[in-house]
Amino acid sequence: MEQDLKAKIDQACRTAEDFSKLYYESLDKRRYLISRMYMDTATLIWNGNGVTGKDNIQKFWTDLPPSEHTIHTLDAQPITSPEVANQLTFLVKVCGQVKYDDKNSKSFNQTFLITAMGDKWKVVSDCFRAQELLESSTN
């Protein structure tokens, strides 16, 4: 059992690296194709705004200004739950910087739930949050 879990964790990490590279390249350079990476019933939460369905997600991403993402950290773990027992499913967490148009870069966190559909990985759930620094108050 322990060896099997280690193998799943290793696979999750490798998959997360490959998936993230493809995802952010698509988002930054071929955004018109991004819906191919989502399940038909996927959900996107972007800074608190919810979008459901891959066609609506495609429109949402297309309406945003051009972007450039840089990944700083990446983590992944296998999901072992009865709901996805027969499907390989991973939780992927990404932290980095994003720059829209010529504006300043902002830190972001993005969490994906991805699942294997045939030989492709599809996003089930995607939660993006831009990070703002808290103002420190000095008395």
Side-chain angles (χ1 to χ4, degrees):
M1 174 88 172
E2 208 170 290
Q3 193 65 19
D4 184 44
L5 182 57
K6 179 168 177 13
K8 282 183 180 177
I9 292 168
D10 289 346
Q11 182 183 14
C13 292
R14 285 190 310 275
T15 299
E17 287 179 21
D18 294 343
F19 170 82
S20 297
K21 184 174 189 271
L22 178 62
Y23 181 86
Y24 292 107
E25 278 181 8
S26 296
L27 194 57
D28 292 341
K29 298 177 181 154
R30 296 178 301 279
R31 193 175 289 178
Y32 61 94
L33 297 174
I34 199 70
S35 69
R36 293 179 181 183
M37 298 192 73
Y38 288 85
M39 290 183 65
D40 292 346
T41 58
T43 300
L44 166 67
I45 306 295
W46 193 85
N47 288 319
N49 300 296
V51 182
T52 303
K54 76 177 193 176
D55 293 336
N56 293 329
I57 292 170
Q58 175 71 57
K59 180 177 179 350
F60 179 86
W61 283 124
T62 304
D63 288 347
L64 288 179
S67 60
E68 184 180 328
H69 290 81
T70 305
I71 297 172
H72 295 302
T73 63
L74 180 63
D75 188 33
Q77 59 187 343
I79 300 297
T80 52
S81 135
E83 292 81 20
V84 293
N86 297 328
Q87 275 183 257
L88 202 48
T89 303
F90 299 137
L91 182 69
V92 179
K93 217 167 157 42
V94 180
C95 297
Q97 296 284 123
V98 62
K99 186 175 181 178
Y100 292 104
D101 278 339
D102 291 330
K103 299 199 171 30
N104 292 334
S105 292
K106 284 188 173 203
S107 296
F108 76 92
N109 284 315
Q110 195 161 10
T111 305
F112 300 95
L113 188 64
I114 61 173
T115 192
M117 304 282 292
D119 63 346
K120 305 261 188 262
W121 289 96
K122 298 285 185 173
V123 176
V124 177
S125 175
D126 176 357
C127 184
F128 176 96
R129 180 67 72 172
Q131 302 296 294
E132 301 288 338
L133 291 176
L134 293 176
E135 296 287 328
S136 60
S137 59
T138 54
N139 294 337

